[in-house]
Amino acid sequence: MKLQEIALLLQNETGAKIRVSEPMCNHTSFHIGGPADVLVVPDNTEDVRNTLRISREHRIPLTVLGNGSNVLVRDKGIRGIVLKMGNALKHWEQHDDRFTFESGVSLAQCCRIIGEAGYTGMEFAVGIPGSLGGAVYMNAGAYDGEMKNTVASVLTMTRSGDLKTLTSEELQFGYRHSALQEADDIVLQVTMDLSKGDKSEILAKMDDFSQRRISKQPLELPSAGSTFKRPEGHFAGALIEQAGLKGFRIGGAEVSVKHAGFIVNADHATAADVLQLIEHIQNCIQTKFHVYMKPEVLVLGEE
């Protein structure tokens, strides 16, 4: 099918926002990425189900994106449909100590809502960019906290359009990992069990973590967050700094001079620049310290 035909079909059968040949640099925190053939931003669960059905019936490839904060989209872009959940499904509700959020709510907003309600457990995540669904998918963490400590269950939709609830145990959380990474399911809702706390202390802790992040991380430049997972027994940023790579640049991609654990888009970087820089860092660290650096950033799109 031609792109315009796919877009028209989606427009007629969903209430979603549809864009054709949409530059993915506008939808990633790296500000990098070629065009998605068709970008779909759903308004509700039925939009998600109908998009999946159209993808399935017409054999159109489908890529699911959260808020684009932990991904690198290649320069040729993404073929088929990109279903962008981040900032799309944003409803939430509270019942006693249990909070349920739709997956498109930003993690920062989720943390603030919980903190303002006087509940503790999510302070660690207040400065982590991205959507709640993406945070669960990656088991995002910071300051000795992880999503696995608060998530009670997740409502997902299979590629065939069926709803499925996964418990915390079934999600098999690990370091920057969940069972969702091996499944094709799409996160629709996240339910968290939290404890009542002192509101002023909770908000003060959130402000402290936010200030620490601002002071230590290169938030003034586009990036995808920490580039590498923490190697066992080491810290990624420390190894990269010890290897003398702070400020090292390939094209417009640079190892941050503020925090070596981040690759930043310093000057109109391409995805190719970033990938070459990742490979260079891996080779240097392997040679100097015999440590393999595994990327944390998800790479999407056509090679």
Side-chain angles (χ1 to χ4, degrees):
M1 292 181 74
K2 294 179 180 178
L3 298 190
Q4 293 295 345
E5 291 174 338
I6 298 170
L8 186 61
L9 188 60
L10 287 161
Q11 209 147 31
N12 289 339
E13 301 195 30
T14 76
K17 300 176 185 69
I18 313 294
R19 296 177 187 172
V20 177
S21 298
E22 176 69 10
M24 291 308 295
C25 57
N26 296 336
H27 300 276
T28 65
S29 59
F30 237 145
H31 296 180
I32 293 172
D37 284 347
V38 180
L39 181 79
V40 178
V41 183
D43 277 340
N44 51 51
T45 299
E46 277 309 300
D47 285 349
V48 176
R49 181 177 278 114
N50 286 326
T51 301
L52 290 171
R53 176 180 53 78
I54 290 167
S55 164
R56 193 170 60 249
E57 289 177 354
H58 296 274
R59 298 184 178 181
I60 304 165
L62 184 140
T63 301
V64 180
L65 187 73
N67 223 22
S69 63
N70 194 48
V71 301
L72 174 66
V73 176
R74 294 180 187 273
D75 299 312
K76 290 183 180 179
I78 304 175
R79 304 290 68 80
I81 297 169
V82 173
L83 181 61
K84 186 183 178 185
M85 304 294 288
N87 213 30
L89 306 182
K90 297 186 285 189
H91 178 75
W92 69 276
E93 57 188 38
Q94 177 190 357
H95 296 288
D96 298 323
D97 297 341
R98 175 161 284 196
F99 289 75
T100 298
F101 292 85
E102 287 189 322
S103 60
V105 175
S106 76
L107 194 55
Q109 184 186 11
C110 167
C111 294
R112 287 294 177 187
I113 288 169
I114 289 167
E116 289 289 347
Y119 281 80
T120 184
M122 284 294 289
E123 293 91 330
F124 74 91
V126 68
I128 300 175
S131 66
L132 180 58
V136 174
Y137 179 89
M138 290 298 296
N139 187 27
Y143 302 115
D144 298 321
E146 292 178 287
M147 292 304 301
K148 71 174 185 179
N149 298 332
T150 60
V151 174
S153 65
V154 168
L155 178 68
T156 68
M157 183 176 285
T158 67
R159 294 296 172 119
S160 58
D162 298 321
L163 296 178
K164 188 164 69 175
T165 299
L166 298 173
T167 65
S168 181
E169 291 75 19
E170 289 170 326
L171 287 165
Q172 298 174 22
F173 285 119
Y175 175 64
R176 301 298 177 266
H177 177 270
S178 76
L180 295 165
Q181 294 173 21
E182 282 78 55
D184 273 341
D185 297 358
I186 297 168
V187 179
L188 297 178
Q189 290 181 353
V190 179
T191 296
M192 292 179 277
D193 286 335
L194 299 160
S195 302
K196 196 74 175 164
D198 183 292
K199 180 178 173 179
S200 61
E201 288 181 9
I202 292 165
L203 296 180
K205 196 172 185 181
M206 285 187 179
D207 289 341
D208 176 47
F209 286 160
S210 295
Q211 287 304 313
R212 285 199 230 174
R213 189 173 287 269
I214 290 167
S215 67
K216 293 179 180 178
Q217 297 183 5
L219 304 183
E220 66 281 0
L221 289 170
S223 79
S226 297
T227 306
F228 298 97
K229 294 184 178 182
R230 186 178 66 239
E232 192 171 342
H234 301 277
F235 290 101
L239 286 176
I240 296 167
E241 186 168 353
Q242 288 164 27
L245 292 172
K246 244 188 180 183
F248 185 85
R249 183 184 286 204
I250 292 178
E254 180 181 272
V255 178
S256 169
V257 295
K258 192 172 184 180
H259 189 312
F262 288 66
I263 288 176
V264 295
N265 182 355
D267 185 15
H268 302 93
T270 63
D273 293 340
V274 175
L275 291 170
Q276 287 176 47
L277 185 51
I278 286 173
E279 185 177 358
H280 180 76
I281 293 167
Q282 288 175 315
N283 291 337
C284 286
I285 301 304
Q286 186 68 51
T287 300
K288 287 177 179 289
F289 305 111
H290 308 291
V291 174
Y292 174 67
M293 300 285 279
K294 187 173 184 179
E296 185 172 317
V297 176
L298 303 175
V299 181
L300 303 175
E302 183 181 1
E303 293 194 46

mmCIF file of all heavy atoms in Angstrom, residues 111-128:
data_model
loop_
_atom_site.group_PDB
_atom_site.id
_atom_site.type_symbol
_atom_site.label_atom_id
_atom_site.label_comp_id
_atom_site.label_asym_id
_atom_site.label_seq_id
_atom_site.Cartn_x
_atom_site.Cartn_y
_atom_site.Cartn_z
ATOM 1 N N CYS A 111 5.190 11.190 38.838
ATOM 2 C CA CYS A 111 5.857 11.350 40.140
ATOM 3 C C CYS A 111 5.282 12.535 40.911
ATOM 4 O O CYS A 111 5.081 12.454 42.126
ATOM 5 C CB CYS A 111 7.354 11.548 39.941
ATOM 6 S SG CYS A 111 8.196 10.108 39.269
ATOM 7 N N ARG A 112 5.038 13.634 40.213
ATOM 8 C CA ARG A 112 4.510 14.831 40.870
ATOM 9 C C ARG A 112 3.089 14.599 41.402
ATOM 10 O O ARG A 112 2.747 15.048 42.490
ATOM 11 C CB ARG A 112 4.530 16.012 39.900
ATOM 12 C CG ARG A 112 5.930 16.563 39.637
ATOM 13 C CD ARG A 112 6.533 17.185 40.882
ATOM 14 N NE ARG A 112 7.908 17.642 40.659
ATOM 15 C CZ ARG A 112 8.691 18.096 41.615
ATOM 16 N NH1 ARG A 112 8.243 18.150 42.877
ATOM 17 N NH2 ARG A 112 9.912 18.492 41.360
ATOM 18 N N ILE A 113 2.269 13.909 40.623
ATOM 19 C CA ILE A 113 0.901 13.603 41.062
ATOM 20 C C ILE A 113 0.936 12.772 42.338
ATOM 21 O O ILE A 113 0.221 13.046 43.314
ATOM 22 C CB ILE A 113 0.133 12.854 39.953
ATOM 23 C CG1 ILE A 113 -0.196 13.815 38.811
ATOM 24 C CG2 ILE A 113 -1.145 12.211 40.500
ATOM 25 C CD1 ILE A 113 -0.722 13.143 37.556
ATOM 26 N N ILE A 114 1.788 11.771 42.349
ATOM 27 C CA ILE A 114 1.908 10.884 43.513
ATOM 28 C C ILE A 114 2.447 11.656 44.719
ATOM 29 O O ILE A 114 1.946 11.525 45.839
ATOM 30 C CB ILE A 114 2.817 9.689 43.174
ATOM 31 C CG1 ILE A 114 2.091 8.749 42.190
ATOM 32 C CG2 ILE A 114 3.243 8.923 44.422
ATOM 33 C CD1 ILE A 114 2.970 7.711 41.546
ATOM 34 N N GLY A 115 3.461 12.484 44.486
ATOM 35 C CA GLY A 115 4.039 13.270 45.573
ATOM 36 C C GLY A 115 3.062 14.265 46.156
ATOM 37 O O GLY A 115 2.949 14.417 47.379
ATOM 38 N N GLU A 116 2.316 14.951 45.273
ATOM 39 C CA GLU A 116 1.332 15.943 45.734
ATOM 40 C C GLU A 116 0.206 15.284 46.527
ATOM 41 O O GLU A 116 -0.415 15.932 47.377
ATOM 42 C CB GLU A 116 0.756 16.710 44.544
ATOM 43 C CG GLU A 116 1.729 17.677 43.873
ATOM 44 C CD GLU A 116 2.042 18.895 44.721
ATOM 45 O OE1 GLU A 116 1.326 19.121 45.735
ATOM 46 O OE2 GLU A 116 2.991 19.621 44.386
ATOM 47 N N ALA A 117 -0.042 14.003 46.248
ATOM 48 C CA ALA A 117 -1.071 13.264 46.995
ATOM 49 C C ALA A 117 -0.538 12.765 48.336
ATOM 50 O O ALA A 117 -1.298 12.219 49.141
ATOM 51 C CB ALA A 117 -1.579 12.086 46.163
ATOM 52 N N GLY A 118 0.776 12.964 48.574
ATOM 53 C CA GLY A 118 1.375 12.559 49.848
ATOM 54 C C GLY A 118 1.773 11.099 49.910
ATOM 55 O O GLY A 118 1.830 10.512 50.999
ATOM 56 N N TYR A 119 2.094 10.528 48.736
ATOM 57 C CA TYR A 119 2.515 9.125 48.707
ATOM 58 C C TYR A 119 3.987 9.031 48.314
ATOM 59 O O TYR A 119 4.486 9.803 47.487
ATOM 60 C CB TYR A 119 1.651 8.315 47.744
ATOM 61 C CG TYR A 119 0.313 7.961 48.348
ATOM 62 C CD1 TYR A 119 -0.725 8.892 48.381
ATOM 63 C CD2 TYR A 119 0.095 6.715 48.924
ATOM 64 C CE1 TYR A 119 -1.944 8.595 48.973
ATOM 65 C CE2 TYR A 119 -1.129 6.407 49.518
ATOM 66 C CZ TYR A 119 -2.140 7.338 49.532
ATOM 67 O OH TYR A 119 -3.338 7.035 50.129
ATOM 68 N N THR A 120 4.678 8.065 48.918
ATOM 69 C CA THR A 120 6.111 7.905 48.712
ATOM 70 C C THR A 120 6.406 6.643 47.904
ATOM 71 O O THR A 120 5.582 5.729 47.853
ATOM 72 C CB THR A 120 6.849 7.849 50.059
ATOM 73 O OG1 THR A 120 8.261 7.796 49.830
ATOM 74 C CG2 THR A 120 6.427 6.644 50.897
ATOM 75 N N GLY A 121 7.579 6.622 47.280
ATOM 76 C CA GLY A 121 7.993 5.448 46.521
ATOM 77 C C GLY A 121 8.456 5.773 45.114
ATOM 78 O O GLY A 121 9.178 4.996 44.494
ATOM 79 N N MET A 122 8.047 6.961 44.605
ATOM 80 C CA MET A 122 8.426 7.321 43.235
ATOM 81 C C MET A 122 9.337 8.540 43.164
ATOM 82 O O MET A 122 9.593 9.063 42.078
ATOM 83 C CB MET A 122 7.167 7.573 42.405
ATOM 84 C CG MET A 122 6.442 6.303 41.992
ATOM 85 S SD MET A 122 7.403 5.264 40.841
ATOM 86 C CE MET A 122 7.328 6.276 39.357
ATOM 87 N N GLU A 123 9.860 8.965 44.296
ATOM 88 C CA GLU A 123 10.708 10.156 44.298
ATOM 89 C C GLU A 123 11.912 9.995 43.363
ATOM 90 O O GLU A 123 12.315 10.940 42.677
ATOM 91 C CB GLU A 123 11.216 10.458 45.717
ATOM 92 C CG GLU A 123 10.137 10.871 46.701
ATOM 93 C CD GLU A 123 9.534 9.701 47.468
ATOM 94 O OE1 GLU A 123 9.490 8.585 46.898
ATOM 95 O OE2 GLU A 123 9.105 9.898 48.610
ATOM 96 N N PHE A 124 12.484 8.803 43.328
ATOM 97 C CA PHE A 124 13.702 8.535 42.554
ATOM 98 C C PHE A 124 13.539 8.862 41.066
ATOM 99 O O PHE A 124 14.499 9.186 40.376
ATOM 100 C CB PHE A 124 14.103 7.065 42.698
ATOM 101 C CG PHE A 124 13.229 6.106 41.925
ATOM 102 C CD1 PHE A 124 13.551 5.740 40.630
ATOM 103 C CD2 PHE A 124 12.069 5.593 42.490
ATOM 104 C CE1 PHE A 124 12.735 4.870 39.910
ATOM 105 C CE2 PHE A 124 11.253 4.725 41.784
ATOM 106 C CZ PHE A 124 11.586 4.370 40.477
ATOM 107 N N ALA A 125 12.307 8.768 40.555
ATOM 108 C CA ALA A 125 12.070 8.834 39.108
ATOM 109 C C ALA A 125 11.689 10.213 38.609
ATOM 110 O O ALA A 125 11.469 10.395 37.405
ATOM 111 C CB ALA A 125 10.979 7.834 38.729
ATOM 112 N N VAL A 126 11.625 11.215 39.495
ATOM 113 C CA VAL A 126 11.064 12.513 39.113
ATOM 114 C C VAL A 126 11.827 13.177 37.966
ATOM 115 O O VAL A 126 11.244 13.896 37.158
ATOM 116 C CB VAL A 126 10.991 13.457 40.330
ATOM 117 C CG1 VAL A 126 12.386 13.852 40.809
ATOM 118 C CG2 VAL A 126 10.138 14.681 40.025
ATOM 119 N N GLY A 127 13.125 12.939 37.857
ATOM 120 C CA GLY A 127 13.909 13.589 36.811
ATOM 121 C C GLY A 127 14.168 12.724 35.595
ATOM 122 O O GLY A 127 14.830 13.163 34.650
ATOM 123 N N ILE A 128 13.649 11.498 35.595
ATOM 124 C CA ILE A 128 13.881 10.604 34.465
ATOM 125 C C ILE A 128 12.933 10.994 33.334
ATOM 126 O O ILE A 128 11.722 11.036 33.527
ATOM 127 C CB ILE A 128 13.659 9.128 34.860
ATOM 128 C CG1 ILE A 128 14.630 8.722 35.982
ATOM 129 C CG2 ILE A 128 13.837 8.213 33.649
ATOM 130 C CD1 ILE A 128 14.401 7.313 36.513
#
